[in-house]
Amino acid sequence: MGVDLNKDPTFFDRADAHIRLANEHCSDTGRGKVSASLMYGCARFQAWNAATWAEDVEALKAKRNETVKYFVEQYQAMLEENLDDYIGNFEQYMHPEEQQKPPSTILERYVAGERSFASESFGDEVHDLAGATLDGADFSSCFIVADFRGASLQRVSFRNANVKTCDFTGANLLDASFEGAAIDGARFDGASLSGTSFAGASEQGHIYGPNELPQLSDPEHTPDT
């Protein structure tokens, strides 16, 4: 669109004012009719705008085609920009009530009976799962950042998962698997690692061998209760 907001900081304020007025008309008139009136009003204003710059009618006639071309190109560019915006944000704009619903948390889904979270990406949000019970869950090949301190994670699979920076301090990881997982920055201080496998896991370029466990930053640490 090429609008320099440094030179015209109230550009969008004026545009929003026009949109608000059009929305008010939509309350008792169809959108199609409101759209037609809005386009006609815009065209009428631009014709007047062009006329104010002309010295006389001959000058206005001489620049007629140039004026039409300019405003059509400007309108097309603005329409394409806004259509692309709606294409990229369709659900957010057209179904905002669904966007406002809080997504089910991992623990809520687990309690509801779900056990497989394989291949999901949970984003960069730190999930608070401290003290949670997630025994038997499958997080293989997922991306997750979470606080698992003191959690019960018996037989949980983190195979090929990205669990970088996750905190497993004091967690019960009996027979859990981190085979092939990325565990850079993850903490396992005071965790129960009986039967836990880290074979093929990677940490700062180091690949874990069979029966190898992470070096704890504080082997004597026991979690606060």
Side-chain angles (χ1 to χ4, degrees), residues 8 10 23 27 69 96 106-107 121 130 145 158 161 166 173-174 180 192 199-200 202 205 208 216:
D8 192 359
T10 61
N23 287 336
S27 64
K69 182 175 183 293
I106 294 170
L107 186 56
S121 176
V145 181
F158 290 102
C166 286
L173 290 163
L174 176 68
S192 299
S202 61
Y208 283 70
L216 306 183

Side-chain angles (χ1 to χ4, degrees), residues 128-132 146-153 166-172 187 189 223:
D128 183 5
L129 294 168
D147 177 0
F148 288 110
R149 289 178 299 170
S152 183
L153 303 170
C166 286
D167 192 345
F168 296 95
T169 298
N172 184 352
R187 296 193 59 178
D189 301 304

Side-chain angles (χ1 to χ4, degrees), residues 23-69:
N23 287 336
E24 289 176 9
H25 285 295
C26 284
S27 64
D28 55 14
T29 306
R31 290 191 303 273
K33 292 182 178 180
V34 173
S35 175
S37 297
L38 185 62
M39 284 193 290
Y40 183 85
C42 179
R44 184 70 180 178
F45 182 86
Q46 298 301 8
W48 170 80
N49 185 28
T52 62
W53 288 95
E55 295 180 359
D56 52 40
V57 67
E58 294 303 320
L60 183 61
K61 285 196 294 185
K63 285 186 172 293
R64 181 184 185 281
N65 292 340
E66 180 183 341
T67 300
V68 170
K69 182 175 183 293

